[in-house]
Amino acid sequence: MSGAARHRPLGVVTRGTTNPNRLRRVDNWIVATCADRLLAAADPLVVDLGYGATPVTAVELRARLAAGVRPDVRLVGLEIDPARVAAATPAADPPGLTFARGGFELAGLRPVLVRAFNVLRQYDESEVPDAWRTMTAALAPGGVLVEGTCDELGRLASWLLIDADGPRTLTLAAKLTTLGSPAELAERLPKALIHRNVPGEPIHELIRALDDAWQAAAPYATFGPRQRWLSAVTRLRETGWPILNGPNRWRQGELTLPWPAAPRGA
């Protein structure tokens, strides 16, 4: 009996909304920042949890990991809805890409990495910690969960890197050519933070500080939105926010902070 058959899927069916390239920002970040974990793994297994009504983003993640990290990476797309699993089956390319029924329990698999995007938005904030614990308990030793959300076209996104000890980092990301203001990112915060974006909450302080830095960097708009974003992130770092990585990642429209600093006690 397979692992998928032995485990009752935990969770509820998502809306299933998806689009090609919707998750390219988080995929590129995973390739750049999580490659070492996959390269060191005896079994480079990745789970895409809740890929949606079509498997396009699962197919894209597997292709990006195979091209950018290691060609033998295995990706299993999991969905609670059996009709979605059946619909995705024609896109399978075993052993590198398969689909199965599963939820937060990860169908008995032990992946090195899980991507769970736009899955927890429909849950109550109080349910999020248990969902994290269920997923991270199923990871291979040293494995990580990337959990977050984005808009329908993937222009605005945010995600958390989570391990067995809890969240490690928060990343905000945007398509800079369409970004009017960093305040727009507040609409796409992870479920654990989105309801905390109110005055007096630390995540509100972060969004406001980033938006202030963006406004102060307005003169750099002459040189394009990327230079304006680089100036804003540099200014934010200079004011004491412990921003990680460096210009190579910042110029992708990203901003990553360690979790204890990002929510600052939230």
Side-chain angles (χ1 to χ4, degrees):
M1 184 180 293
S2 70
R6 289 196 304 268
H7 293 79
R8 180 177 64 84
L10 299 177
V12 297
V13 178
T14 64
R15 290 171 54 203
T17 306
T18 189
N19 281 301
N21 276 324
R22 186 185 187 192
L23 302 185
R24 63 194 178 280
R25 300 191 191 289
V26 67
D27 287 358
N28 292 336
W29 182 88
I30 287 171
V31 168
T33 63
C34 299
D36 289 351
R37 298 176 192 272
L38 288 167
L39 289 170
D43 180 12
L45 175 62
V46 175
V47 163
D48 183 20
L49 179 64
Y51 54 82
T54 73
V56 60
T57 55
V59 173
E60 291 170 346
L61 176 58
R62 199 275 165 179
R64 287 167 180 144
L65 290 172
V69 181
R70 56 187 290 182
D72 62 336
V73 68
R74 295 196 303 124
L75 187 139
V76 179
L78 294 181
E79 264 290 347
I80 289 179
D81 184 353
R84 292 180 184 174
V85 177
T89 299
D93 184 19
L97 177 64
T98 57
F99 300 91
R101 190 165 181 241
F104 294 137
E105 82 301 330
L106 306 185
L109 300 171
R110 298 285 282 173
V112 177
L113 186 144
V114 175
R115 184 187 69 181
F117 241 68
N118 301 305
V119 172
L120 291 177
R121 283 185 67 85
Q122 66 191 30
Y123 288 80
D124 212 55
E125 183 182 346
S126 64
E127 298 175 284
V128 170
D130 281 345
W132 287 349
R133 281 189 290 267
T134 300
M135 288 185 278
T136 56
L139 293 170
V144 291
L145 162 67
V146 180
E147 188 269 306
T149 188
C150 66
D151 67 352
E152 286 72 14
L153 297 179
R155 293 175 176 175
L156 300 169
S158 65
W159 56 85
L160 300 165
L161 180 71
I162 304 167
D163 64 17
D165 295 322
R168 311 303 296 179
T169 63
L170 166 68
T171 298
L172 307 177
K175 182 177 181 180
L176 297 178
T177 55
T178 60
L179 183 67
S181 162
E184 297 168 11
L185 286 160
E187 302 171 5
R188 299 297 166 174
L189 288 170
K191 186 67 177 189
L193 293 175
I194 193 166
H195 298 302
R196 297 177 178 269
N197 184 39
V198 293
E201 288 282 354
I203 188 61
H204 183 268
E205 180 185 349
L206 171 61
I207 296 292
R208 184 177 61 182
L210 177 58
D211 197 59
D212 287 347
W214 175 260
Q215 299 305 325
Y220 287 85
T222 301
F223 307 103
R226 180 173 293 176
Q227 291 303 314
R228 184 177 182 180
W229 178 264
L230 284 169
S231 176
V233 173
T234 299
R235 181 184 296 266
L236 199 63
R237 194 180 201 184
E238 289 172 348
T239 63
W241 290 91
I243 298 169
L244 301 175
N245 304 321
N248 284 342
R249 296 311 310 169
W250 302 347
R251 63 172 45 97
Q252 306 304 317
E254 294 173 6
L255 173 67
T256 299
L257 302 93
W259 171 257
R264 302 259 278 268

